Amino acid sequence: MFWVLFVAVACASLSFLLCTGVLTGRLVSPYSIPGERSLHGRPVARGGGLGIAAGVLFGAVVLIPQWQIPLALTLMWMVSAWDDWSDASPTLRLAVHSLSAMLVVAAWGEGGLSTIVAIPLIIVVIWSVNLFNFIDGVDGVAASAAIIGGTALATIAVFLPGTDAARPASMALIGSAVVVAASALGFLPMNLPPARLFMGDGGSTVLGLALAAVSIKGVADGVWQAAVPLAIFMPLWADATYTLVRRLLRGHNPLRPHREHLYQRLTLAGLGHRGVLFWIVGWMLLSIAVAGLVRSLAVPLATAAVTAYAAFYVVLTEWTLRRQPNLLMNPRAFLALLYDVAAAASAWALLFWARFNFNIDGAEFTAGDVARSLAFVVPVHALVFVGLGLYEGLWRFASMADLRRIVLGAFVAAASTAVLFVIVRPDSFIWPRSVLLLQPALLILLMGGARFAYRSWKEHRLYGLAAAQGEPVLVLGAGAAGARLVSELSRSDTWQVVALLDDDMTKVGARVHDTPVVGRLAQAEDVARRFGARHAIIAMPNTTHEARRRAVEIAASAGLSVLTVPSYDELLSEESPLAKLRAIELEDLLGRDPVVLDNPGLASWISGRTVLVTGAGGSIGTELCNQVARFHPGRLVMVDISEFASHVVGEHIATKLPRERIEVYVGNARNRERMLEIFERERPHIVFHAAAYKHVPLTETVNAWEAVRNNVLGTLVAAECARAVAAEKFVLISTDKAVRPSSIMGASKRLAELAIMSLPETPTKFVGVRFGNVLGSNGSVIPKFREQIASGGPVTVTHPEMTRYFMSIPEAAQLVLQAGLMGHPQSLFVLDMGRPVLIVELARELIRLARGSTNAIPIVYTGLRPGEKMHEELTGDGEQFLPTAHAKVRRVVASLEAAIDIDELLRWLDQPSPYDVRAELKRWVIDFSPPAPPAALSTILPPQPA
């Protein structure tokens, strides 16, 4: 034994020195790639195979008398090294692999092998070589598998020799297996994630060939059964064989590169190299236990054990990766499965034992009865638990939903076990019915109790001390949102909820997650003083905006810093509400009641269909894409003139829809050829036209004709393209500035409305939707006010009496979809925009929110800008509203209007810029009346009191 160990240590040392030499530059390896870098940013060196091959060859020369084995290893290394350096052809590599396999079989196969036996052995050797080659793609996996496999073979040869006659042969096998493991061990430290050195084919194929040769020799000399090495390397055999068969059935070329092996799918799913290494190594360690069992079983039972193990591996990895990926991606989930299976077995065995009065030696009861029954119980429970999704969550966040699944799983598994017993009728053991009835209750206690005990321990350890150190805070609102918020804040080291307030007197005096509801909202100042709180969180997302505004005013008057939870839907989403807390914004105070959409109708209209949005990179366009994505369109096509905006919206929507279902085009809506190319390629069913120039002052002078052509010609081109591909509906996004317009922008949008209403009704239905300003859109007044406040002021307002209608971007986009759904041909809709808001009041609210007082920053009045109106209107001359099925969408009915001659309009739009754009535009839009520009006020008025 001494010389065997000495050779092993020498081989390991040689391998380590050679691998280290490649890294330090003291040994120039032909397999170092100058200038190439790995994913980790390190220079790529592929000299690991040289060290491993040298160690294995050195050991083979010393330990093995047959010349065929060193020759086979040398040939294998040569063609693999060639492939590392310059990509040898698959045919050449397969030919050398076959020759090497023949040499191994000839040297170590039984004498006089028939062709029927020799050919399968050659195929087995070739396949074994490729088992190691395909796992070389993950740091440390191939080397670790060689170490584990070689050590396992050596251990079985030492402790479980087949016969006395096999002992001399087993000594040589021990040395050979140790040499392989030691050679890989010298390389492993530099190949663990993140790898500093890569093995390459020159190392992995040599390892595979050496271990295949050792395995065949052991079988030929009677040291172990053929099933033993098969069981040891079963994770590799099962994955590679199943992958090959699946690819062949799909008609794939087996010689082409692919990413369908388990380790590749796990890596692509996000597990990472280190996780994949642990996963495969863990399965190999489990397979060693199976190999030890196989060694002591008869040949038929050993074969059955290996087959069952392979089938279990394939089913678990393939089915689980598709249906329950958390079991593979999260090792804790797999440990949870093992615990639950053990709990099911323990509960069954304990009740079985109790049923016979704890008398193991009773005549009616033997340990074999329990073992045979568990062969049915354990697989059934494992399949039921995984199928019901018990491992999608984490024990740390165990909840009543998990308990419900546990209860369901326990009873379904018990019923399935009973049915299986009835079908199979295993008369060789007793299966008392009382055990079937009582086992689910005990199992629920074991599974549920463990989860909630772990959660309690984890939360106490993580948050028990931190909660007492947080900042005291009041929560305004004791409903479902407030309750969940209190639960989440209990884990925070930033906040400590000391009390809740709610105007519902039935809740006052109750406790929410052990936190008292001490009074009404109006008592906030007294409660804050009593508990020493300086902050309040508004948790009232399902109330009206008036109620939320009142809560903010009460908290502000109490001197509290106010935070809020933005919306009810966001609060009840999967993400923690703690992450959504933010300061009160103007949108919360001017917000509107939630929009109730016809979700079934919109889903039926949009789901599975192609939707095209022009101007997709703008504020409204982006939100339209967001809302459309909610209803799972078959394809969402986004068009914008800005390359940057197109990129941004495309990346954003890719987080909501699969990339194969979205497309982003850069194009100008006025370019007929480009738009027709897009429409004919995508053939949309629904078109939302949001592309427009909308900034009033910018479009009043030198950009006036450009604005008219963009807003009118762009609309006509997009509408004609929609008709050309027989789109079902075309929805124009218009504006309230189109009503009795006073600006170029408003008049151009009104002309666009008139133009689409003059188009033929078939095959496309044309719909227009008007709404006012949206809060926070690109270029709107609110971002401008915020910038002025941040820079210290002053805040510029055009006129103290100017008003505007406001609505949020999501509300506007949602109602556009609703109007598009209900729109009849040539329909014009106006969204309910609530009451007009004084711009100066809006500025004061922003100053108060930012600085605590409206007097903190002065307001400057600059006068109306060209084209601006003091007050926007909702209906024009001869127009009136008709109600629709939706309370916030109204249809505009106008007196009889003369249809526009589209051909004449197009000729006008195609001409050079007219001398007087306003005069020309008034010919088309008869109620266009730009006001005379007023004198600028340019007076700094004293701030009004808060």
Side-chain angles (χ1 to χ4, degrees), residues 162-453:
T163 61
D164 291 338
R167 285 189 177 275
S170 67
M171 300 302 294
L173 287 176
I174 292 170
S176 302
V178 169
V179 163
V180 174
S183 300
L185 181 62
F187 167 75
L188 182 63
M190 284 159 289
N191 189 234
L192 291 173
R196 291 169 290 170
L197 189 66
F198 300 97
M199 182 184 297
D201 294 350
S204 60
T205 57
V206 170
L207 289 177
L209 182 63
L211 288 170
V214 171
S215 300
I216 291 175
K217 180 64 172 175
V219 174
D221 291 347
V223 178
W224 48 61
Q225 301 172 14
V228 169
L230 184 61
I232 291 175
F233 300 104
M234 183 53 66
L236 310 182
W237 274 91
D239 183 21
T241 305
Y242 179 75
T243 301
L244 178 65
V245 171
R246 181 178 58 187
R247 295 188 72 237
L248 289 175
L249 291 176
R250 293 178 179 178
H252 296 176
N253 186 344
L255 298 180
R256 289 185 178 179
H258 61 89
R259 293 185 175 183
E260 297 187 26
H261 286 302
L262 173 65
Y263 87 90
Q264 293 169 325
R265 289 184 287 159
L266 289 175
T267 303
L268 292 174
L271 185 58
H273 281 207
R274 187 176 286 106
V276 175
L277 171 64
F278 289 156
W279 173 255
I280 295 182
V281 166
W283 270 107
M284 287 205 66
L285 293 176
L286 178 62
S287 69
I288 290 175
V290 176
L293 177 66
V294 165
R295 182 64 186 85
S296 60
L297 294 177
V299 172
L301 292 178
T303 304
V306 172
T307 304
Y309 178 78
F312 174 70
Y313 179 86
V314 171
V315 170
L316 180 65
T317 54
E318 176 65 17
W319 185 86
T320 304
L321 191 61
R322 294 177 181 270
R323 300 289 301 275
Q324 298 288 341
N326 195 45
L327 272 174
L328 299 181
M329 303 301 293
N330 186 353
R332 294 182 180 180
F334 189 73
L335 292 176
L337 171 62
L338 294 181
Y339 169 81
D340 290 344
V341 171
S346 301
W348 179 269
L350 180 62
L351 290 173
F352 208 119
W353 189 19
R355 167 65 178 79
F356 294 100
N357 300 320
F358 302 98
N359 182 12
I360 293 181
D361 297 325
E364 296 181 286
F365 174 82
T366 65
D369 294 332
V370 179
R372 283 189 291 273
S373 63
L374 286 177
F376 293 87
V377 172
V378 171
V380 168
H381 280 72
L383 290 174
V384 170
F385 292 163
V386 173
L388 291 178
L390 262 64
Y391 310 101
E392 295 176 354
L394 300 175
W395 283 23
R396 175 179 162 185
F397 304 109
S399 62
M400 291 302 297
D402 296 294
L403 182 59
R404 286 193 293 269
R405 280 195 290 266
I406 289 172
V407 172
L408 178 63
F411 282 101
V412 169
S416 302
T417 303
V419 170
L420 186 62
F421 281 169
V422 171
I423 294 174
V424 178
R425 300 186 64 84
D427 298 330
S428 58
F429 65 90
I430 301 169
W431 51 286
R433 292 164 181 79
S434 60
V435 175
L436 286 171
L437 295 176
L438 296 176
Q439 191 251 3
L442 181 57
L443 183 57
I444 292 169
L445 180 63
L446 292 175
M447 293 172 62
R451 282 163 169 79
F452 285 100

Side-chain angles (χ1 to χ4, degrees), residues 24 37 55 69 88 132 154 322 371 399 437 442 461 650 688 704 738 878 884 906:
T24 60
R37 305 185 70 82
I69 303 301
F132 274 84
R322 294 177 181 270
S399 62
L437 295 176
L442 181 57
R461 187 170 70 89
F688 292 98
T884 67
L906 289 173

Side-chain angles (χ1 to χ4, degrees), residues 594-853:
V595 175
V596 179
L597 297 176
D598 179 10
N599 288 317
L602 288 172
S604 176
W605 184 43
I606 294 175
S607 179
R609 312 188 81 187
T610 299
V611 180
L612 186 146
V613 180
T614 67
S619 305
I620 295 297
T622 298
E623 187 58 33
L624 271 173
C625 294
N626 276 330
Q627 298 297 333
V628 168
R630 290 176 50 202
F631 297 100
H632 309 291
R635 189 163 177 81
L636 178 55
V637 183
M638 294 162 280
V639 184
D640 199 279
I641 193 172
S642 166
E643 184 251 1
F644 176 73
S646 300
H647 168 74
V648 171
V649 70
E651 291 298 307
H652 172 67
I653 297 300
T655 65
K656 303 177 180 297
L657 289 174
R659 286 193 178 272
E660 61 269 17
R661 288 166 55 190
I662 65 176
E663 191 60 80
V664 183
Y665 290 92
V666 178
N668 190 334
R670 291 175 293 172
N671 187 328
R672 291 182 176 87
E673 291 76 14
R674 175 61 171 164
M675 293 299 291
L676 190 58
E677 173 195 353
I678 294 171
F679 274 74
E680 288 183 342
R681 177 179 297 174
E682 300 293 346
R683 308 195 71 81
H685 302 94
I686 304 165
V687 179
F688 292 98
H689 182 62
Y693 289 159
K694 64 179 183 179
H695 299 291
V696 171
L698 189 64
T699 58
E700 281 301 303
T701 55
V702 296
N703 301 308
W705 184 241
E706 186 70 13
V708 171
R709 294 190 75 247
N710 185 77
N711 292 353
V712 182
L713 181 58
T715 300
L716 279 174
V717 168
E720 289 291 354
C721 290
R723 292 184 67 240
V725 298
E728 173 192 307
K729 196 166 289 187
F730 179 95
V731 182
L732 168 67
I733 309 300
S734 190
T735 171
D736 58 355
K737 293 177 176 59
V739 179
R740 275 194 287 267
S742 62
S743 64
I744 293 291
M745 193 279 282
S748 66
K749 294 298 287 185
R750 176 57 178 159
L751 183 53
E753 290 178 358
L754 296 172
I756 66 166
M757 296 303 164
S758 301
L759 291 172
E761 297 182 4
T762 55
T764 303
K765 300 175 183 178
F766 294 98
V767 177
V769 183
R770 292 178 187 164
F771 54 87
N773 296 280
V774 290
L775 294 167
S777 66
N778 296 334
S780 70
V781 67
I782 294 177
K784 178 181 178 181
F785 284 171
R786 285 177 174 147
E787 291 178 6
Q788 292 174 338
I789 294 170
S791 63
V795 173
T796 58
V797 178
T798 54
H799 196 281
E801 297 180 6
M802 175 175 277
T803 61
R804 288 291 183 267
Y805 293 98
F806 285 97
M807 65 196 313
S808 70
I809 297 177
E811 180 185 10
Q814 290 169 1
L815 291 177
V816 166
L817 293 187
Q818 188 69 58
L821 170 64
M822 66 176 60
H824 302 289
Q826 277 64 39
S827 299
L828 183 62
F829 294 92
V830 173
L831 305 184
D832 177 13
M833 292 172 283
R835 295 173 299 179
V837 177
L838 276 169
I839 299 298
V840 67
E841 287 299 326
L842 190 145
R844 288 183 181 131
E845 288 286 0
L846 280 171
I847 294 171
R848 184 176 67 82
L849 289 174
R851 299 299 176 91
S853 171

